Amino acid sequence: MKRILLIATGGTIASSESAEGLTPALDVEQLVAYLPEMQSLCQLAGVSIMSIDSTNMNPKRMGIIAQTVAQYYDAYDGFVIAHGTDTMAYSAAALTDMLRHLNKPVVLTGSQIPMEAPDTDAKKNLSDAIRFACENIRGVFVAFDGIVIEGGHAMKCRTRSRHAFESINFPVVAQMQDKTVQYTKDIEQSAFWHAMQEKSQQAFAVQPELCTDVFVLKLFPGIGTEIFDYIKKQFRGVVIESFGIGGIPDENPNLLTKIRELAQAGVAVAITTQCLYEGVDLDIYAVGKHLAEQPILVAGTMTTEAIVMKLMWSLAHFDTLADIKAYIESNNT
């Protein structure tokens, strides 16, 4: 029987009504008590490491989650993290880099409705996550509303609906049906299928450090150049959400010049898109080709959540822009 550790961090799943609105209140023992049937599936234990609304999640707390997995790594076969939904995609993306050479499943889940509510989705989501954590696979995943998503491709796309999360630019890993795990055909036919089953030959390690000197800039028609001068003075990295497939204005104003100035000042400039699907390709339009001539990092099909966390992790662990570029662009799918 597999040994699974539930790590509680707060979120809607653990919230109760208060005079000020929903606020995290349940600890891990109370969450486990709602799922007595899980005891016949696995040896389920739990630890509460924080009790926060996930709006208050930050890089330091993400590091605590990673360090908790590392602390109990040898004692358990899989890990489930009960997390608020608002920043779950950021935490999942961060953990994919923090947990190096992971050979076990780490599954994040939460709910749109508190566990105590009669119509809650928390019981199903948590049960699904625990079942998936019993699989003989490795990696970081998000389990929500009957689907399992690779951690670096999860995005919260709806604020109220139960199907809050989607898998962006990557196949859904599995569907949870009739209390069973059913891997999708797209995954079974992909290189990822073998990657999540083959064990890493390198020793597991945790590297939770993140550099928070990162700015996210969403372009809009009429944006000025002053913000680029500010970024150059204040930040080590910037993620620019470009137009469409990778368009950056090159006249009125000429932002290519400002991007070149950022790079020359040692700022890591990552280019992503405001569009959810299909990613960046700088070989289509002239404005994209002009951008590709600059010393930039191309986010490919990564979500904004994924590229932000990967850039934070890279800035904390590499000394040169060349190394950061090599790491990010070799992991940008």
Side-chain angles (χ1 to χ4, degrees):
M1 185 176 285
K2 292 290 184 73
R3 295 167 295 175
I4 305 299
L5 181 67
L6 173 60
I7 301 171
T9 69
T12 298
I13 192 171
S15 288
S16 295
E17 288 284 357
S18 74
E20 298 179 343
L22 285 174
T23 186
L26 303 185
D27 61 21
V28 73
E29 287 79 14
Q30 291 170 298
L31 290 177
V32 170
Y34 278 94
L35 303 170
E37 70 277 10
M38 290 294 104
Q39 298 299 337
S40 63
L41 175 70
C42 61
Q43 296 179 22
L44 181 63
V47 59
S48 295
I49 61 172
M50 61 189 77
S51 183
I52 63 168
D53 187 300
S54 72
T55 301
N56 292 317
M57 183 57 66
N58 57 42
K60 182 178 180 180
R61 285 170 167 159
M62 293 176 188
I64 292 172
I65 296 173
Q67 290 168 330
T68 302
V69 172
Q71 178 183 350
Y72 294 97
Y73 188 78
D74 293 334
Y76 292 90
D77 301 302
F79 301 86
V80 173
I81 300 166
H83 194 293
T85 59
D86 287 350
T87 54
M88 187 185 298
Y90 285 98
S91 292
L95 291 172
T96 63
D97 287 307
M98 291 177 171
L99 301 174
R100 312 300 295 171
H101 317 303
L102 184 64
N103 274 329
K104 300 178 181 182
V106 174
V107 189
L108 290 83
T109 194
S111 67
Q112 293 286 72
I113 304 170
M115 179 68 84
E116 294 179 332
D119 58 342
T120 183
D121 56 336
K123 293 179 183 178
K124 174 173 172 50
N125 288 346
L126 192 53
S127 297
D128 286 348
I130 292 169
R131 290 182 188 281
F132 194 74
C134 292
E135 292 290 287
N136 295 317
I137 47 90
R138 67 189 189 100
V140 177
F141 306 89
V142 170
F144 212 90
D145 193 46
I147 63 173
V148 179
I149 304 169
E150 193 277 328
H153 289 272
M155 178 181 284
K156 185 177 181 181
C157 296
R158 299 172 184 84
T159 60
R160 298 177 183 272
S161 302
R162 292 172 185 259
H163 59 302
F165 285 84
E166 291 188 14
S167 182
I168 306 299
N169 296 321
F170 198 79
V172 168
V173 173
Q175 296 176 337
M176 309 298 295
Q177 297 180 352
D178 299 324
K179 298 182 179 181
T180 62
V181 179
Q182 297 184 7
Y183 291 96
T184 63
K185 291 183 178 179
D186 286 340
I187 283 294
E188 290 181 334
Q189 296 171 358
S190 70
F192 183 74
W193 173 253
H194 301 286
M196 72 178 186
Q197 292 181 315
E198 294 176 359
K199 299 297 184 182
S200 172
Q201 299 305 306
Q202 300 185 59
F204 169 75
V206 59
Q207 296 180 343
E209 300 82 12
L210 295 174
C211 172
T212 59
D213 295 334
V214 170
F215 191 88
V216 179
L217 178 63
K218 184 169 186 171
L219 298 188
F220 59 91
I223 189 172
T225 60
E226 297 83 358
I227 186 64
F228 292 86
D229 297 326
Y230 175 77
I231 292 170
K232 181 170 64 176
K233 296 176 182 178
Q234 299 293 330
F235 296 93
R236 291 184 58 201
V238 58
V239 174
I240 299 178
E241 293 188 347
S242 66
F243 298 124
I245 206 165
I248 301 286
D250 59 5
E251 60 177 47
N252 299 322
N254 184 349
L255 299 188
L256 292 181
T257 298
K258 307 307 292 187
I259 289 174
R260 186 183 307 114
E261 291 176 3
L262 289 177
Q264 290 172 346
V267 178
V269 181
I271 303 297
T272 186
T273 173
Q274 297 176 25
C275 301
L276 286 185
Y277 296 102
E278 299 177 349
V280 172
D281 185 345
L282 303 183
D283 287 333
I284 306 298
Y285 295 98
V287 289
K289 291 184 177 182
H290 294 160
L291 177 60
E293 295 170 357
Q294 312 304 317
I296 60 168
L297 318 173
V298 181
T301 59
M302 281 191 281
T303 63
T304 294
E305 290 91 333
I307 184 59
V308 167
M309 302 319 299
K310 195 169 291 293
L311 183 57
M312 284 187 177
W313 189 89
S314 299
L315 286 168
H317 292 89
F318 296 108
D319 295 326
T320 69
L321 288 179
D323 288 339
I324 293 171
K325 180 179 177 67
Y327 179 76
I328 287 179
E329 293 191 353
S330 65
N331 292 276
N332 67 355
T333 58

